[in-house]
Amino acid sequence: MMKKMSIPTSKASLVLFLCQIISALDVPLDLSQPPTITQQSPKDYIVDPRENIVIQCEAKGKPPPSFSWTRNGTHFDIDKDAQVTMKPNSGTLVVNIMNGGKAEAYEGVYQCTARNERGAAISNNIVIRPSRSPLWTKEKLEPNHVREGDSLVLHCRPPVGLPPPIIFWMDNAFQRLPQSERVSQGLNGDLYFANVQPEDTREDYICYARFNHTQTIQQKQPISVKVFSMDSLNDTIAANLSDTDIYGAKPVTERPPVLLTPTGSTSTKVELRGNVLLLECIAAGLPTPVIRWIKEGGELPANRTFFENFKKTLKIIDVSEADSGNYKCIARNTLGSVHHVISVTVKAAPYWITAPRNLVLSPGEDGTLICRANGNPKPSISWLANGVPIAIAPEDPSRKVDGDTIIFSHVQERSSAVYQCNASNEYGYLLANAFVNVLAEPPRILTPANKLYQVIADSPALLDCAYFGSPKPEIEWFKGVKGSILRGNEYVFHDNGTLEIPVAQKDSAGTYTCVARNELGKIQNEVQLEIKDPTMIIKQPEYKVIQRYGQVSFECIIKHDSTLLPTVIWLKDNDELPDDERFLVGKDNLTIMNVTDKDDGTYTCIVNTTLDSVSASAVLTVVARPNPPFDLELTGQLERSIELSWIPGDENNSPITNFVIEYEDALHEPGVWHYQTEVSGTQTTAQLKLSPYVNYSFRVIAVNKIGRSQPSEPSEQYLTKSASPDENPANVQGIGSEPDNLVITWEPLKGFQSNGPGLQYKVSWRQKDVDDEWTSVIVANVSKYIVSGTPTFVPYEVKVQALNDLGYAPEPSEVIGHSGEDLPMVAPGNVQVHVINSTLAKVHWDPVPLKTVRGHLQGYKVYYWKVQSLSRRSRRHVEKKILTFRGNKTFGMLPGLEPYSSYKLNVRVVNGKGEGPASPDKVFKTPEGVPSSPSFLKITNPTLDSLTLEWGSPTHPNGVLTSYTLKFQPINNTHELGPLVEIRIPANESSLILKNLNYSTRYKFYFNAQTSVGSGSQITEEAVTIMDEAMASRQVDIATQGWFIGLMCAVALLILILLIVCFIRRNKGGKYPVKEKEDAHADPEIQPMKEDDGTFGEYRLFSFVSSAPF
């Protein structure tokens, strides 16, 4: 049975796969081989003193190795120590601490040896040290009295532990103390203050040391800090403080930077290759200094450089010798700068260039073991054989040592051994075991037979042929059962036997044969390769912007090989989706309901099969109205201006475009907010203009494309000082309400416009164009004043000035008003009418003198009405119509008149008070017009060849009727019109008999009336002459005969029987195309007949009866 294997497609997976194959090329365990250490404890092994100590040492070999230990360089006899046991079939030691043993008693350097008949392998030197978490030494801590602005260092000095503890500062409530550019913790655990402030005063600065290995935390005694401001010191406090308690008695002043650590101008630092380099500079000063780092003569390494602790710590990871050099930190504030240079030297413990590897040789073969390492300083290389220095080890004539290389020539089975290479310098050592195993073995293939490999098309295919043999076998690959040997650039042949097809195509699928041969034999193995279609995302998720509480969907439509079963996984920010019912995962989409801010992020669709994996990502941006601004602050208070500043709230992924500032006047309109101004979304301050005598509060609203935020919390209130008014009332008017008064009105000032208490108005007036003095009166805060006893409609100059308890507003401007109007005194004269046509006339008049208008001339009104119709001489209700002509017009048009009628009209002048007297009535007449259509047209008494027409005269004759005109023509069945006949009828007639018409024929009639002016609109009607009486009689007789009725019933019965037969035959599977036969042999009796056929009635009846069953 074939074993199935899926080959990964990525480059990283390819490397991993090759490494797995290489690591699998070990000597099979059924063959003799020296020991190999497979697992051991770390070199520096810190143990928990409360738990058992487990020192690992595992090895393999054939025969299975035995184990022994040394402690501090001498043999460790575990049989003599009841607390120490060795695990069965293992070299791992267990020291029983939990049953009475003391961890300190087992502190030391341990080394394990695994030995069998072919050699001995040794472990590293394992240094065992119990972890320590000692208590803090008791000390008396004096309170720290510090002057405001000075620097301060609170020393932690934790106990020395193993490993060193983690330091942090907290208060009595176990809350971490806040740190900043001004206050921060150094690498040594001390707490540094660049300058102290009054808020630093507290009695619970506590340093904690956490020992992770033993999971314990030690606490230092609380430290008290009291910050003094020299302005608040009194004589009593000063008398009780020594000179050392306070740092002088000078007031708080700014100071240039001074380095608290490191001290001096230069220092040195040594770090080992591969470690993390940490450099620190902490400075004191006021203002708080800012730290900057540079590397002299070079750049800080990109991607490996980080700044921590508010840039006070420079961190470079994975350092190498190239990172050696001078690093300068610069502390700067507004008063100056200080710097410190740290000379960094990177040393290196030994590291491998070429580690020795196991060597399998057949008798008589040659080989080499190579051990090459580097370091700073350069490490020394020494060799051991089976754990013994090679200089004192038993001699082997096939072995020659040449520095870092051992050369083997013509080896024999006795040459098998384990060799150790030790590379060491002052910073550490490396130890590697490598055996020489002399065997004579025919080839064997370790890869299972008929193994199945599945690969995605256009990806590398790696076909395994793990083998062993001594001498080393040669490997050849064939495709197919009888294929030729594989060669060429399309294949890669690895030393471990693996065949690589760099780009596997569909035609690469099939059976591959691996052949291994050496001088002792030959063996082959077959594997199978299948090529699969790649998985693809054909519709990827797309970038989405959605408003908060909306709904969004991401699509992920895939295409895959039909033999592979894909699984689709959705991730948010490279993590699992939240466990939230709002997230709905469908077959090919992800839907998020009721989107919230926390849904913002990157969503990834991952499609996995057993062979490949594809993914696609899209970003979801959740937008919303901004959060309201906060921390409003008023500064720079002046009488007429103030500066408002604020901190913007979260813009919620939609940039703030502007800020709207509103104000409340708690003095005049509490609770009402007014628009003040708005500024750009990039500003966080605004200079605001103020008015006197207003108790201001401000609030800010942020605006983005989504909408407006909620208003911020109001600022503090600011009351401006009182002043005289800056402005006068607006919209001042003088308009009389009666013929003998003048009403002066204005818009009162709003509360904040008053500028102070006691708002009043000085109202002044005088008659225009008359040498009069101003008359003035001061009124309360109202909006009008009435002046009585004025002449009718004369112009006045009017002004209104604001004043309050502090004075008058600027001199106001004057406006022109008029005293009250009265009705006009005279009517327009010389009224003339010019009739243009039967429905339109033009009227003229002379204007009245302006003095007689006694007010503002608004225009003229023309009253006109119809007296009677000249054609009927009958009177009716008089309906007067009015046309108004604005301004000083002296003519107008009168539309919509009725023809042949008598009219009257008069004209009146109009002012603001009303209408003046009417002019004498003027009579005019309209000429004749065309009449309206006759009021009705009836057609009665139809016979075979005649019709009687009756009509009514027009409702509006619009003149004297002269005649009627009748036109008619026949209409056939297709609605085609026949010849038109016209008849003129006297005006005094009201009926007419038309004779000699065709029987059973439809006629259309057109009828209208005429005056001397012309023809009016026509009325139409249609009528039909009756058919021949004999034919009508026969039709009735046939339809009522009993024989005809019986015949129709028989036909209906036959049709019913026929339908029953059809139904039975169809149920038996037969077909009876009734419809086809009916279409082919249509009954001529059911074809439509002409209307003039006397059998129309019978046709309708027969058609109904015969077709009803269908």
Side-chain angles (χ1 to χ4, degrees):
M1 182 177 179
M2 288 190 299
K3 296 186 178 180
K4 181 177 177 181
M5 180 175 182
S6 302
I7 297 181
T9 60
S10 69
K11 293 182 178 179
S13 299
L14 174 61
V15 172
L16 175 61
F17 183 73
L18 285 172
C19 291
Q20 290 173 341
I21 292 176
I22 292 170
S23 67
L25 293 177
D26 294 332
V27 179
L29 284 176
D30 61 337
L31 298 178
S32 295
Q33 57 185 292
T36 300
I37 300 289
T38 59
Q39 191 172 0
Q40 58 184 313
S41 294
K43 294 179 181 178
D44 191 6
Y45 189 17
I46 300 175
V47 298
D48 189 334
R50 300 167 300 181
E51 298 179 354
N52 291 343
I53 302 173
V54 178
I55 311 175
Q56 289 184 327
C57 181
E58 304 290 343
K60 65 178 182 178
K62 183 70 179 293
S66 61
F67 297 89
S68 61
W69 286 86
T70 62
R71 177 183 174 188
N72 297 327
T74 61
H75 177 67
F76 181 35
D77 191 350
I78 62 176
D79 295 331
K80 294 182 179 180
D81 193 330
Q83 303 295 333
V84 181
T85 58
M86 184 183 294
K87 290 185 177 180
N89 302 318
S90 167
T92 298
L93 297 182
V94 178
V95 182
N96 196 337
I97 300 300
M98 301 177 67
N99 196 21
K102 297 292 185 182
E104 292 79 5
Y106 295 93
E107 193 170 350
V109 180
Y110 292 78
Q111 189 173 44
C112 169
T113 301
R115 186 185 307 274
N116 68 9
E117 61 188 30
R118 287 193 165 242
I122 61 175
S123 71
N124 292 319
N125 287 329
I126 302 170
V127 180
I128 302 295
R129 294 186 295 171
S131 65
R132 299 181 181 87
S133 51
L135 296 176
W136 239 293
T137 56
K138 291 186 178 181
E139 55 182 327
K140 184 178 180 181
L141 301 176
E142 296 293 336
N144 291 272
H145 299 280
V146 192
R147 187 181 67 172
E148 179 184 355
D150 284 354
S151 62
L152 174 66
V153 180
L154 300 183
H155 297 289
C156 179
R157 299 190 182 99
V160 178
L162 184 69
I166 297 172
I167 306 300
F168 52 94
W169 289 80
M170 301 178 75
D171 58 16
N172 275 331
F174 296 101
Q175 298 297 314
R176 284 187 180 268
L177 295 175
Q179 299 191 22
S180 62
E181 288 185 338
R182 186 178 64 84
V183 182
S184 61
Q185 177 183 316
L187 294 176
N188 62 355
D190 292 347
L191 192 62
Y192 293 86
F193 295 76
N195 52 80
V196 295
Q197 302 296 326
E199 59 265 25
D200 296 327
T201 297
R202 61 190 308 152
E203 297 180 351
D204 57 350
Y205 286 93
I206 306 173
C207 181
Y208 288 85
R210 183 174 66 210
F211 298 89
N212 283 343
H213 222 77
T214 57
Q215 296 297 309
T216 57
I217 295 178
Q218 305 291 352
Q219 172 185 336
K220 187 182 178 74
Q221 291 291 331
I223 302 175
S224 174
V225 173
K226 188 167 185 181
V227 180
F228 289 98
S229 172
M230 295 309 298
D231 293 337
S232 63
L233 287 177
N234 54 42
D235 295 338
T236 304
I237 296 176
N240 289 285
L241 293 177
S242 67
D243 292 340
T244 59
D245 290 330
I246 60 173
Y247 306 145
K250 300 178 182 178
V252 176
T253 57
E254 294 184 342
R255 294 176 290 106
V258 175
L259 285 176
L260 298 176
T261 185
T263 58
S265 60
T266 61
S267 60
T268 61
K269 171 82 172 180
V270 176
E271 191 56 79
L272 292 182
R273 181 179 188 269
N275 287 356
V276 176
L277 174 65
L278 293 174
L279 304 178
E280 180 181 57
C281 272
I282 300 178
L286 184 68
T288 301
V290 176
I291 305 295
R292 185 168 67 92
W293 291 88
I294 61 172
K295 182 180 182 182
E296 293 183 343
E299 299 289 335
L300 295 174
N303 303 323
R304 295 190 294 115
T305 300
F306 303 91
F307 298 101
E308 297 179 345
N309 196 20
F310 309 97
K311 291 192 174 183
K312 299 174 186 178
T313 302
L314 172 65
K315 175 180 178 181
I316 302 176
I317 63 174
D318 192 23
V319 295
S320 66
E321 290 86 341
D323 295 319
S324 297
N326 292 332
Y327 292 80
K328 178 187 287 187
C329 71
I330 304 168
R332 184 185 303 275
N333 68 9
T334 56
L335 299 184
S337 66
V338 65
H339 69 268
H340 183 93
V341 176
I342 305 173
S343 179
V344 174
T345 302
V346 177
K347 298 290 186 177
Y351 55 92
W352 289 119
I353 296 176
T354 303
R357 297 179 61 183
N358 293 338
L359 193 60
V360 178
L361 301 173
S362 64
E365 280 191 316
D366 302 335
T368 57
L369 289 178
I370 300 174
C371 177
R372 288 178 184 158
N374 202 358
N376 186 10
K378 187 173 181 62
S380 61
I381 303 294
S382 61
W383 288 96
L384 296 88
N386 296 323
V388 177
I390 201 165
I392 61 175
E395 289 190 7
D396 182 352
S398 66
R399 178 183 69 207
K400 178 183 178 183
V401 178
D402 185 9
D404 58 7
T405 303
I406 301 180
I407 303 170
F408 297 91
S409 304
H410 304 288
V411 297
Q412 301 300 320
E413 187 174 351
R414 65 178 179 275
S415 300
S416 296
V418 182
Y419 291 88
Q420 289 83 33
C421 173
N422 186 304
S424 61
N425 66 11
E426 60 187 279
Y427 298 107
Y429 74 93
L430 293 173
L431 178 68
N433 290 277
F435 64 64
V436 175
N437 196 13
V438 181
L439 294 172
E441 285 292 326
R444 63 171 70 183
I445 294 179
L446 308 178
T447 300
N450 290 318
K451 189 172 185 178
L452 174 63
Y453 293 88
Q454 294 179 328
V455 172
I456 295 296
D458 299 324
S459 299
L462 297 170
L463 307 183
D464 187 12
C465 184
Y467 64 91
F468 183 78
S470 183
K472 181 180 178 182
E474 294 181 359
I475 302 297
E476 293 177 332
W477 280 92
F478 301 84
K479 183 178 182 185
V481 178
K482 297 181 180 180
S484 59
I485 188 170
L486 298 180
R487 291 186 178 88
N489 296 330
E490 55 184 312
Y491 301 103
V492 178
F493 302 95
H494 293 277
D495 290 341
N496 58 11
T498 298
L499 170 65
E500 178 183 352
I501 307 174
V503 182
Q505 306 290 340
K506 282 287 188 181
D507 58 3
S508 303
T511 301
Y512 289 80
T513 302
C514 166
V515 178
R517 60 166 57 89
N518 68 8
E519 60 189 37
L520 301 178
K522 168 187 170 184
I523 192 171
Q524 69 180 40
N525 187 34
E526 291 182 355
V527 295
Q528 309 296 324
L529 176 62
E530 292 181 356
I531 307 299
K532 304 293 185 180
D533 291 328
T535 305
M536 295 184 292
I537 300 177
I538 57 177
K539 183 64 183 297
Q540 298 187 357
E542 298 177 347
Y543 173 71
K544 297 291 178 86
V545 177
I546 191 71
Q547 289 193 32
R548 188 186 294 163
Y549 310 125
Q551 175 180 324
V552 67
S553 290
F554 292 106
E555 286 187 296
C556 185
I557 301 176
I558 64 174
K559 179 182 178 183
H560 62 91
D561 191 285
S562 59
T563 63
L564 299 178
L565 182 63
T567 58
V568 179
I569 301 173
W570 286 91
L571 302 179
K572 178 183 184 294
D573 297 329
N574 295 322
D575 204 350
E576 293 183 357
L577 290 178
D579 185 12
D580 192 327
E581 61 184 9
R582 297 181 301 107
F583 288 77
L584 307 177
V585 178
K587 178 183 177 182
D588 50 19
N589 61 55
L590 167 66
T591 301
I592 308 174
M593 314 287 291
N594 196 24
V595 172
T596 64
D597 291 340
K598 65 181 181 181
D599 300 329
D600 199 279
T602 301
Y603 289 83
T604 304
C605 166
I606 301 177
V607 185
N608 292 317
T609 68
T610 54
L611 298 183
D612 62 351
S613 177
V614 292
S615 64
S617 299
V619 174
L620 173 63
T621 300
V622 181
V623 297
R625 296 184 300 169
N627 291 351
F630 57 94
D631 280 359
L632 273 65
E633 184 179 4
L634 297 176
T635 56
Q637 291 89 341
L638 300 173
E639 289 188 6
R640 294 297 181 100
S641 68
I642 198 169
E643 184 173 88
L644 172 66
S645 61
W646 61 89
I647 298 176
D650 193 335
E651 63 185 18
N652 292 323
N653 295 321
S654 180
I656 295 174
T657 56
N658 57 294
F659 292 99
V660 177
I661 302 171
E662 297 180 338
Y663 72 91
E664 175 198 27
D665 181 4
L667 192 62
H668 303 99
E669 293 180 290
V672 180
W673 290 90
H674 300 276
Y675 174 85
Q676 170 87 15
T677 187
E678 61 184 83
V679 297
S680 165
T682 59
Q683 291 185 227
T684 57
T685 61
Q687 195 72 25
L688 306 178
K689 295 181 179 179
L690 305 179
S691 295
Y693 194 53
V694 176
N695 193 6
Y696 282 99
S697 289
F698 298 97
R699 68 184 188 185
V700 183
I701 299 170
V703 183
N704 64 10
K705 289 184 178 180
I706 310 304
R708 295 162 62 101
S709 72
Q710 292 294 320
S712 67
E713 291 295 321
S715 70
E716 60 182 304
Q717 291 185 340
Y718 179 61
L719 178 62
T720 54
K721 295 181 179 180
S722 301
S724 58
D726 293 325
E727 52 189 311
N728 287 302
N731 199 21
V732 177
Q733 293 181 327
I735 303 174
S737 61
E738 297 295 337
D740 60 349
N741 74 6
L742 173 66
V743 179
I744 302 173
T745 60
W746 59 91
E747 287 183 7
L749 298 180
K750 296 180 180 179
F752 75 92
Q753 293 175 310
S754 65
N755 286 7
L759 178 64
Q760 294 177 303
Y761 299 100
K762 178 182 178 182
V763 183
S764 305
W765 67 93
R766 68 179 178 185
Q767 189 172 338
K768 191 174 182 297
D769 300 329
V770 177
D771 192 15
D772 281 351
E773 295 294 328
W774 287 93
T775 303
S776 300
V777 62
I778 294 177
V779 299
N781 188 11
V782 294
S783 61
K784 72 176 180 178
Y785 180 77
I786 301 176
V787 180
S788 302
T790 63
T792 300
F793 195 67
V794 294
Y796 277 86
E797 293 176 300
V798 177
K799 59 183 179 181
V800 179
Q801 186 177 25
L803 68 151
N804 61 18
D805 292 350
L806 280 80
Y808 285 86
E811 184 66 24
S813 57
E814 303 166 4
V815 298
I816 304 299
H818 287 80
S819 56
E821 299 179 69
D822 207 345
L823 294 176
M825 300 173 60
V826 300
N830 193 25
V831 178
Q832 301 292 329
V833 179
H834 172 60
V835 177
I836 297 174
N837 56 39
S838 60
T839 60
L840 181 65
K842 184 176 183 180
V843 59
H844 292 264
W845 62 88
D846 290 340
V848 300
L850 289 178
K851 289 185 178 181
T852 65
V853 176
R854 297 201 293 181
H856 294 286
L857 175 63
Q858 294 187 353
Y860 293 87
K861 286 186 178 180
V862 176
Y863 286 74
Y864 65 100
W865 62 96
K866 181 180 175 182
V867 178
Q868 67 177 17
S869 174
L870 298 178
S871 59
R872 295 187 177 182
R873 304 295 180 184
S874 61
R875 294 184 176 273
R876 60 175 183 173
H877 173 70
V878 175
E879 180 184 354
K880 290 188 176 182
K881 297 181 180 180
I882 305 173
L883 285 177
T884 300
F885 299 95
R886 299 290 179 186
N888 197 21
K889 290 189 74 173
T890 58
F891 67 91
M893 307 299 289
L894 305 180
L897 302 177
E898 293 185 14
Y900 206 49
S901 300
S902 176
Y903 280 88
K904 286 186 178 180
L905 66 75
N906 60 52
V907 184
R908 309 175 193 196
V909 68
V910 182
N911 67 8
K913 190 71 173 177
E915 301 175 5
S919 66
D921 292 347
K922 186 73 174 179
V923 178
F924 66 96
K925 297 177 181 179
T926 56
E928 287 186 86
V930 296
S932 62
S933 61
S935 57
F936 66 88
L937 175 63
K938 292 194 302 183
I939 303 175
T940 60
N941 301 327
T943 66
L944 286 174
D945 61 353
S946 69
L947 293 169
T948 301
L949 279 66
E950 298 177 354
W951 62 84
S953 60
T955 306
H956 302 287
N958 294 338
V960 178
L961 294 181
T962 57
S963 63
Y964 294 99
T965 298
L966 174 66
K967 299 177 183 178
F968 63 94
Q969 57 191 147
I971 307 174
N972 63 15
N973 288 340
T974 60
H975 300 286
E976 294 176 349
L977 300 176
L980 187 65
V981 179
E982 182 175 335
I983 301 174
R984 182 78 65 170
I985 304 170
N988 58 352
E989 297 290 339
S990 61
S991 64
L992 176 67
I993 297 175
L994 286 177
K995 297 181 179 182
N996 300 322
L997 302 176
N998 296 328
Y999 73 91
S1000 190
T1001 300
R1002 178 174 297 277
Y1003 287 89
K1004 186 168 185 178
F1005 298 90
Y1006 313 90
F1007 193 69
N1008 61 10
Q1010 289 88 30
T1011 65
S1012 60
V1013 176
S1015 300
S1017 56
Q1018 63 185 13
I1019 185 172
T1020 63
E1021 193 60 74
E1022 293 185 12
V1024 182
T1025 56
I1026 66 173
M1027 65 184 67
D1028 182 29
E1029 293 180 2
M1031 294 181 68
S1033 176
R1034 272 200 310 275
Q1035 181 180 355
V1036 173
D1037 290 345
I1038 292 172
T1040 57
Q1041 293 299 313
W1043 65 267
F1044 181 77
I1045 296 173
L1047 178 62
M1048 293 299 103
C1049 291
V1051 171
L1053 180 60
L1054 287 173
I1055 293 173
L1056 179 61
I1057 293 171
L1058 181 61
L1059 285 174
I1060 293 172
V1061 172
C1062 291
F1063 179 74
I1064 292 172
R1065 289 193 62 186
R1066 187 175 294 274
N1067 285 345
K1068 290 183 178 181
K1071 296 182 179 178
Y1072 182 62
V1074 177
K1075 177 63 178 172
E1076 288 81 349
K1077 290 187 177 183
E1078 289 175 348
D1079 293 342
H1081 307 287
D1083 190 342
E1085 291 193 32
I1086 66 173
Q1087 302 304 316
M1089 295 183 180
K1090 292 184 179 180
E1091 196 172 13
D1092 60 355
D1093 190 341
T1095 62
F1096 182 79
E1098 287 92 347
Y1099 156 70
R1100 296 289 292 180
L1101 179 60
F1102 180 78
S1103 174
F1104 174 79
V1105 173
S1106 64
S1107 63
F1110 295 99

